[in-house]
Amino acid sequence: MLISEFALKTGLSRETVRFYVRLGLLHPQTTLKGGRNPYQLFRPEDVATAELIRIGQALGLSLKEIAALMEKRRKGKLPLKGRIEMMRAQLARLNRKAVELDRLRAYVRAKIEWQEDGEKGPEPTLELAT
Amino acid sequence: MLISEFALKTGLSRETVRFYVRLGLLHPQTTLKGGRNPYQLFRPEDVATAELIRIGQALGLSLKEIAALMEKRRKGKLPLKGRIEMMRAQLARLNRKAVELDRLRAYVRAKIEWQEDGEKGPEPTLELAT
DNA sequence: GATAACTGTGGAGTGAACTACATGGTCAAT
DNA sequence: ATTGACCATGTAGTTCACTCCACAGTTATC
């Protein structure tokens, strides 16, 4: 598919798509069409990649970080041990994030209950991580 | 407490604290100290406010949005029902985020196992949200 | 073959959220 | 009274993630 269709499918603007390509987040193929400035051809897997970008962003990763992770994966140059090592690090990060998120959720839940209870007892607090 | 102590307590830099004050996110009192440029006095509730800012950011709210919400709360214009409603919406947002995070974690864990297993069987995939 | 609807490149601009000075006033301790 | 650790203001710079635009080539449609 061409860029406009891809943009429509992913909900991104054409400009943003080109921006992502420049950053190396997307790797469309080049068509024979377009002469000196060949058109970019996007495949279904690129749509999946866009989805991954969205998720990464939702998790608070920067585009640079996302690009770096994808580059490593894409090259597959890492030996098995290295790949696993990398994914463990990623997982650890995700886990830390999950813990933080859970803490936040518990806090908000407690606060709602506390308010429904007429604000009796001590107001729930969110202790900062040390 | 003065700005340095406050910054330490909240994990923010002094510059960031001043930035937040400029944006109206924090409302320190003014001391008698400091002459023409009076020192800012932060109270424990300001530390709580800083925590709220952190939460809001984790939820993907902009500082502007956070400021707007706080302004509403500060003015006490929201009735109890409204406050609870707001927190429920916040909680729902957090929950969606947690689900996404769990999905991603499961994916990474599966991938690690798959690799440790010699990449036998189908490569785990991250089904896209519909 | 004119024209509308695409495509590309290059570069500048925007808004958000900091971050880094330079400059100068204030305070506590010696 | 000087020194060092604070404080404030103001302005400028940075990074990130887009976003806009002018200009030009290409393709599809009538």
Side-chain angles (χ1 to χ4, degrees):
Chain A
M1 76 195 87
L2 295 184
I3 196 168
S4 280
E5 192 185 341
F6 179 73
L8 205 72
K9 266 214 177 81
T10 57
L12 302 170
S13 73
R14 283 189 306 280
E15 297 296 337
T16 301
V17 174
R18 296 208 180 94
F19 179 63
Y20 284 177
V21 172
R22 271 207 299 286
L23 293 191
L25 282 162
L26 292 168
H27 300 272
Q29 302 193 298
T30 55
T31 29
L32 295 169
K33 295 178 180 175
R36 156 149 75 265
N37 294 328
Y39 292 179
Q40 300 177 108
L41 186 68
F42 295 87
R43 288 166 304 167
E45 69 182 79
D46 294 316
V47 177
T49 301
E51 188 68 16
L52 273 177
I53 294 171
R54 238 193 80 273
I55 294 173
Q57 283 188 310
L59 292 175
L61 299 177
S62 71
L63 293 181
K64 222 176 237 174
E65 290 170 313
I66 295 169
L69 288 172
M70 285 182 174
E71 193 56 22
K72 272 189 188 167
R73 266 210 82 235
R74 220 173 54 86
K75 283 191 177 171
K77 289 231 169 126
L78 283 169
L80 183 63
K81 280 227 168 181
R83 279 206 307 277
I84 292 178
E85 199 64 26
M86 204 181 84
M87 304 200 78
R88 276 199 203 291
Q90 240 181 312
L91 186 57
R93 185 170 182 169
L94 287 174
N95 287 342
R96 277 197 301 279
K97 200 132 192 141
V99 167
E100 193 171 292
L101 195 51
D102 282 347
R103 217 162 54 83
L104 230 53
R105 287 202 294 159
Y107 166 69
V108 175
R109 271 196 302 267
K111 196 112 180 192
I112 289 175
E113 263 184 35
W114 176 73
Q115 288 198 329
E116 283 178 335
D117 227 47
E119 307 200 351
K120 272 155 195 155
E123 177 171 1
T125 64
L126 177 73
E127 323 90 66
L128 288 175
T130 48
Chain B
M1 76 194 87
L2 295 184
I3 195 169
S4 280
E5 192 184 342
F6 179 73
L8 205 72
K9 265 213 177 81
T10 56
L12 302 169
S13 74
R14 282 188 306 281
E15 298 294 340
T16 300
V17 173
R18 295 207 180 95
F19 178 63
Y20 284 177
V21 172
R22 270 208 301 285
L23 293 191
L25 282 162
L26 292 169
H27 301 272
Q29 304 194 295
T30 55
T31 29
L32 295 169
K33 295 178 179 175
R36 155 151 77 265
N37 294 328
Y39 293 0
Q40 300 177 108
L41 186 68
F42 295 87
R43 288 167 304 168
E45 68 182 79
D46 293 316
V47 177
T49 301
E51 285 171 9
L52 275 177
I53 294 172
R54 238 180 45 56
I55 294 173
Q57 284 189 311
L59 291 175
L61 299 176
S62 71
L63 293 181
K64 222 175 235 171
E65 290 170 312
I66 295 169
L69 287 173
M70 284 182 175
E71 196 55 22
K72 270 191 192 167
R73 266 209 85 234
R74 222 169 54 86
K75 285 190 175 171
K77 290 241 165 115
L78 277 173
L80 182 62
K81 280 224 168 181
R83 279 207 306 276
I84 291 178
E85 199 64 26
M86 212 177 77
M87 302 200 78
R88 275 198 204 292
Q90 254 182 307
L91 186 57
R93 198 166 174 170
L94 281 175
N95 288 340
R96 278 197 302 278
K97 224 167 169 100
V99 167
E100 200 169 271
L101 189 53
D102 283 347
R103 215 161 56 84
L104 200 56
R105 284 202 297 159
Y107 165 69
V108 175
R109 269 198 302 270
K111 196 108 181 194
I112 289 175
E113 264 185 36
W114 177 72
Q115 289 197 330
E116 283 178 334
D117 228 45
E119 308 200 351
K120 273 153 196 157
E123 177 170 3
T125 63
L126 179 71
E127 331 80 79
L128 297 176
T130 47

